[in-house]
Amino acid sequence: MISIDLLIKPMKAVVMRDLGQMGESTFNLWCAQAGLTANGSKVDKTGWDFFVEFPFAERVALTQIHAPALECKVQVKATDKTDRKLSIKLSNLRRLITAPMPAFFVFIEFDKKDVAQRAFLVHVDESLISKTLKRIHELENVSGCFNHHKRSLTINYGPENEIPTLRGESLKRKIEEYVPSGMSAYVANKSQHLESTGFENGFAQITFSTKGETNLTDFIDVSIGLKQSVQISKFESFHTRFGLKSKDPMIERVDGMLEMPDLKPTATGTIRFREDRLSPGLVFPCRFYSSSLNPILPQELVKFRIEADCFDITMNPFTGAANYKMNAGAGVRLPIKQLRDAICLMRTITSSAKTILVDFSLTGMNTVDFSLNAKDQPFEYNKVLEALNAAQKIVNFFEVNESIDVSLEEIATHADSITRFNSVIDANPTLFKCDFSVQEGGYDPTKPTACVSMITTKLGRRVFGFIFVISGSVHTLEDGCYSLLASNAKIEQRVISDDQGIIRAEDLIQAFEAVEKIYDDNFEVITLFDKKSGKPTT
């Protein structure tokens, strides 16, 4: 008989921990502590474990009783690791970022213990939304991959995400920090970001070809607003997002016309023209256009445009070539000084064969200097320029603070009247003479005589005038006629019409009567004004 002794040792039981269940149970406990309703997902295929509902606030303003309570989606991730990162499937992320409500990840670290040691709340914020959409766009449109459930994105978290205490109230406050303005505002902002992110630099990319140097030059002119359209060929347009072009074009044409109707200036500032470096020059507000093609063009085709209300200059900074055009023609109305400066500029660049020094200062850019070659041509606006100089003096004399806009045609039409009106302002009294006749008796020619009259001119839509008195002794002519040789002259009343050019007759009559009273005691007063019609007489 064979005897066998067996030594049997008791086996140690192996307990398998279910980290996922531990994490969800812990999260459920915290929600219950804070009075939150945690609705669990029965089948976790849509990227979230809990739909969490917050209670309404106990007290709320009457204007806010319609506001919804906070709601959010939460995915819970439990781990024994402490590397503070986890890969999340793109399919799950896409569900969370496109959900209109707030969404969060709760990372719970157990450190191989039975209870949570630390917890972290990661908000699915605008940065994560953009990062996820960009990754999906790269895979779908660049790599042609649509298997989002097999692709992932790493979510990192750190001390800034840690929930201070492992209690429900601490979790509740941490979530509420990300929805400070309420659900309605949060949903609106998230929706706006979802629609706009990735389109910061535009939503489309256009490619096209031009045939010949003429079409290329025309395209450059269109890009700086000099021309309306240009002929193009092989036109394609692609959707772009995050700087990535879609695989298939949204528009494809053999040829067509290209326009840029809402072109905005590259910068704004001022430009100054001088005949020498010691003169103050002429300064104009201006708009600067730089062609978007300039960086890829050969130097001889580079073009800039400087536009003001009264002129347009295009130039090439490398070759020195420049073209300029005056815009002070028919129908253009400008402030008197601006139109005067424009005509002065026209005289400078067309009547003296010399180099004109130019510098312009633009917002956000350094001052740029260059020169223009003036062309010796006949200048036909000397009379207009004289009238504009007189008009500026008249406006200053009348102390007008508002802008008086005029056109070149108006100044040309009234040039003689404007110049004559201005000459009266500072004229020597002895240069004035007044011949008049008296139809009724009672006039004593031996007494000093004051002649009250009115002179007017038109600047733009307004009439300027003044009641003017010359005084002195008279010489008797014949048939009741007299001649007054002035020893003194004085402007007693300035007159400006409304913006329709109207001066009320009753106002003029009152003004004339007030001036007459000044001279009644010491002078024989002769008034060259018909008080019945309210108009001056000769």
Side-chain angles (χ1 to χ4, degrees), residues 19 54 94 197 239 364 372 420 452 468:
L19 267 179
F54 281 58
R94 188 172 188 177
T197 185
H239 281 298
L372 293 175
R420 183 169 58 251
V452 184
F468 184 68

Side-chain angles (χ1 to χ4, degrees), residues 93-344:
L93 272 173
R94 188 172 188 177
R95 289 280 185 176
L96 291 177
I97 68 170
T98 56
M101 65 185 63
F104 299 90
F105 289 97
V106 172
F107 296 97
I108 303 175
E109 294 181 351
F110 283 89
D111 291 358
K112 298 182 180 180
K113 294 182 174 60
D114 293 334
V115 295
Q117 302 300 304
R118 286 168 299 279
F120 302 83
L121 182 74
V122 175
H123 178 218
V124 179
D125 59 8
E126 292 184 354
S127 175
L128 183 54
I129 290 172
S130 298
K131 187 176 180 180
T132 303
L133 287 177
K134 182 178 181 181
R135 180 64 177 149
I136 293 172
H137 185 58
E138 289 173 341
L139 290 172
E140 291 186 353
N141 292 288
V142 179
S143 304
C145 298
F146 299 91
N147 52 347
H148 302 158
H149 63 286
K150 295 183 179 180
R151 302 285 177 146
S152 62
L153 192 69
T154 299
I155 305 296
N156 295 280
Y157 56 94
E160 69 279 4
N161 305 110
E162 189 168 4
I163 300 171
T165 59
L166 301 180
R167 299 284 299 171
E169 192 60 35
S170 185
L171 170 68
K172 178 175 180 287
R173 285 197 300 269
K174 190 76 171 175
I175 292 175
E176 288 172 337
E177 288 177 5
Y178 293 102
V179 195
S181 302
M183 276 291 290
S184 296
Y186 183 97
V187 169
N189 290 336
K190 184 174 182 180
S191 175
Q192 194 278 330
H193 181 72
L194 279 166
E195 292 177 2
S196 63
T197 185
F199 295 125
E200 292 81 3
N201 296 318
F203 69 92
Q205 179 178 320
I206 298 172
T207 61
F208 55 87
S209 303
T210 61
K211 295 180 180 179
E213 187 171 321
T214 299
N215 275 346
L216 176 58
T217 302
D218 287 345
F219 178 67
I220 297 169
D221 288 346
V222 169
S223 71
I224 57 177
L226 284 177
K227 290 189 176 180
Q228 294 296 317
S229 60
V230 59
Q231 181 75 35
I232 57 174
S233 59
K234 198 179 178 181
F235 178 86
E236 291 181 320
S237 177
F238 297 84
H239 281 298
T240 60
R241 195 167 192 179
F242 301 104
L244 302 172
K245 187 174 69 173
S246 61
K247 295 180 68 175
D248 300 316
M250 60 178 176
I251 300 175
E252 192 171 14
R253 296 287 186 273
V254 176
D255 55 31
M257 299 297 293
L258 177 68
E259 296 182 359
M260 298 183 182
D262 298 318
L263 194 67
K264 299 293 188 297
T266 308
T268 58
T270 58
I271 185 168
R272 177 172 60 167
F273 300 85
R274 294 183 293 174
E275 293 189 39
D276 59 70
R277 298 197 180 278
L278 299 179
S279 63
L282 299 166
V283 180
F284 301 88
C286 70
R287 298 167 290 279
F288 175 71
Y289 298 83
S290 176
S291 173
S292 56
L293 297 175
N294 282 342
I296 60 173
L297 289 173
Q299 289 188 349
E300 63 271 16
L301 293 179
V302 170
K303 188 178 288 186
F304 296 103
R305 178 187 178 199
I306 304 165
E307 179 195 36
D309 291 341
C310 50
F311 63 82
D312 223 315
I313 296 174
T314 56
M315 60 164 293
N316 183 313
F318 299 105
T319 65
N323 291 305
Y324 41 86
K325 179 179 69 174
M326 304 305 298
N327 297 329
V332 177
R333 301 180 64 83
L334 297 171
I336 290 173
K337 185 179 184 304
Q338 194 170 335
L339 181 59
R340 170 193 168 277
D341 287 351
I343 302 302
C344 284

